[in-house]
Amino acid sequence: MLKDQAFLRIPGPTPLPPSVERAMIRPMIGHRDKAMDALIADLIPRLRPLFGTSGAVYLLAGSGTLALETALVNVTDEGDKVLHLISGAFGERFFRIAEGHRRQAIPHHVPWGEAVDPDDVRRLLQAHPDVRAVVATHSETSTGVLNPIADIARVVREHSDALLVVDAVSSLGGTPVEMDVWGVDAVATGSQKALMAPPGLALVALGERARAAMHRIQSSRFYADLRQYEASLAQSTVPFTPAVTLLFALEASLDLIEAEGLAHVFARHRKMRDMTRAALKALGVPLLAADAVASPTVTAVRPTRFTPKALLQAVRDEFGIVFASGQGKLKDEIFRIGHMGYMSEADVLQYIAALEVAAKRLDPESPLGAGIRAALEVTLA
């Protein structure tokens, strides 16, 4: 392979479209300039369809983790009971954030690779009637599982007054998020995954109940205080220095998403997922998550005939294709393929072909051509 050639096929950061890269070399503008005010005023309404809301969307300079923390500290108080539905490493991270902010964090652990059962949520809410918020991960990046947020939201609304806070870091922009229709109160995400922008923007959306809580609670916050952002957004600005070049990039990525159309964006992600899963099954390589709960943006693979580390190294050394290793308890047992954002069916065919070659080198019994054929059958269906 060429030394400077690398193809990111990880669950973020994801490859950037050329127009997004070009946007970041635009001349700098002042963050209190009228041009910045116009940019903020343009971005907010264009982000709402991605969240599926007519409500408030806030932009902060920071990572997806900042978005999670911001959502939590703005809708719950210190000492509040918060039920955490944990199905992987990022559910655990959200739990640690709550503990760090002295919430009464109640964990509900789901086996990694499985989705949250809404019936379990119902029983937990009946056992803890004073829960103030329920926290769930939509697409669990560490396992490739898409949790049934619509069903969870219905249970939360029917059996409690709790707010539902959702981590949509690896789902928003790649699969439908319908805050208003589902009854989700707060959604947090980052810029570097399906949104096709660089890392460094934290996005939070709040529904009306969450906004009311934001103004009611007394928890300590400053940079992440969304009350300040709300006041500034009324003037089409933000309270602190924004990541100007990243906002240029987000504007360009929204141009691409809107040109393609959200329905087509979501269909493309589903097809890339289905191609990937069909190919790996044809190669006899086990997958972590069942088809019914598989995320459209990331697939977790659990090989048995060779180690994930050996396969990742072989694919990277020979083809410059970069997959992600496992996390947490699955660190040495799985690898993860990101198929989100600036990707197409052609990219899937590229990494499936590379996987076939690498698997053949590691296991002479591994079939050649079976994965590509299965992927093509999905494409032609």
Side-chain angles (χ1 to χ4, degrees), residues 34-375:
K34 289 183 179 179
M36 175 55 67
D37 295 349
L39 179 58
I40 295 291
D42 175 65
L43 288 175
I44 297 300
R46 297 173 69 189
L47 287 166
R48 289 191 180 111
L50 292 164
F51 287 91
T53 187
S54 60
V57 179
Y58 308 91
L59 286 164
L60 296 81
S63 69
T65 302
L66 174 66
L68 304 181
E69 184 166 1
T70 299
L72 181 81
V73 301
N74 279 277
V75 302
T76 63
D77 258 323
E78 185 173 318
D80 280 353
K81 275 191 177 181
V82 180
L83 173 61
H84 287 258
L85 310 176
I86 302 171
S87 56
F90 289 92
E92 290 185 345
R93 177 177 295 185
F94 217 153
F95 177 76
R96 293 198 300 273
I97 290 170
E99 285 192 315
H101 283 280
R102 299 181 181 178
R103 274 50 174 176
Q104 290 188 58
I106 304 167
H108 171 62
H109 292 279
V110 176
W112 288 30
E114 296 181 13
V116 174
D117 185 342
D119 286 336
D120 289 340
V121 179
R122 181 181 295 107
R123 287 189 286 271
L124 287 160
L125 290 172
Q126 290 168 349
H128 301 279
D130 53 345
V131 161
R132 297 299 298 272
V134 177
V135 171
T137 308
H138 192 193
S139 171
E140 176 49 72
T141 315
S142 65
T143 64
V145 167
L146 191 72
N147 281 303
I149 297 301
D151 294 334
I152 292 169
R154 185 177 64 254
V155 168
V156 171
R157 286 296 181 98
E158 289 176 354
H159 296 275
S160 76
D161 293 322
L163 300 175
L164 178 59
V165 181
V166 172
D167 167 358
V169 172
S170 71
S171 64
L172 193 125
T175 194
V177 175
E178 297 288 352
M179 282 185 66
D180 293 353
V181 172
W182 295 346
V184 175
D185 297 290
V187 171
T189 194
S191 54
Q192 76 276 18
K193 297 184 184 283
L195 291 181
M196 302 188 293
L201 290 177
L203 299 87
V204 179
L206 300 184
E208 285 304 312
R209 296 200 314 157
R211 284 185 62 246
M214 174 183 74
H215 288 286
R216 182 178 65 248
I217 65 170
Q218 302 299 314
S219 65
S220 176
R221 58 222 197 262
F222 183 75
Y223 181 77
D225 186 350
L226 291 182
R227 294 171 300 183
Q228 298 192 68
Y229 288 82
E230 184 167 89
S232 294
L233 283 175
Q235 308 300 319
S236 297
T237 186
V238 289
F240 310 109
T241 305
V244 177
T245 55
L246 301 187
L247 295 178
F248 290 161
L250 180 62
E251 180 184 38
S253 72
L254 290 175
D255 288 342
L256 295 173
I257 290 170
E258 290 166 359
E260 185 177 359
L262 271 182
H264 289 282
V265 170
F266 298 152
R268 172 168 54 85
H269 281 81
R270 289 193 299 271
K271 180 159 282 191
M272 292 190 296
R273 172 199 62 193
D274 294 346
M275 290 172 66
T276 301
R277 294 178 67 83
L280 288 161
K281 289 176 184 178
L283 292 172
V285 181
L287 302 169
L288 182 63
D291 289 348
V293 297
S295 171
T297 61
V298 55
T299 294
V301 187
R302 196 171 202 167
T304 54
R305 300 193 306 269
F306 39 78
T307 67
K309 183 177 180 181
L311 185 70
L312 265 60
Q313 194 66 51
V315 172
R316 184 167 192 157
D317 288 348
E318 188 162 358
F319 299 103
I321 294 174
V322 184
F323 296 129
S325 59
Q327 293 183 309
K329 64 179 73 175
L330 296 178
K331 184 178 187 304
D332 299 319
E333 297 181 28
I334 68 169
F335 69 93
R336 295 171 298 140
I337 301 172
H339 35 80
M340 68 179 88
Y342 186 57
M343 279 190 63
S344 69
E345 297 168 34
D347 296 304
V348 177
L349 294 174
Q350 178 201 47
Y351 67 64
I352 292 302
L355 276 170
E356 287 199 4
V357 173
K360 186 71 172 179
R361 296 200 192 287
L362 295 170
D363 174 20
E365 299 300 316
S366 185
L368 276 180
I372 286 291
R373 181 181 181 85

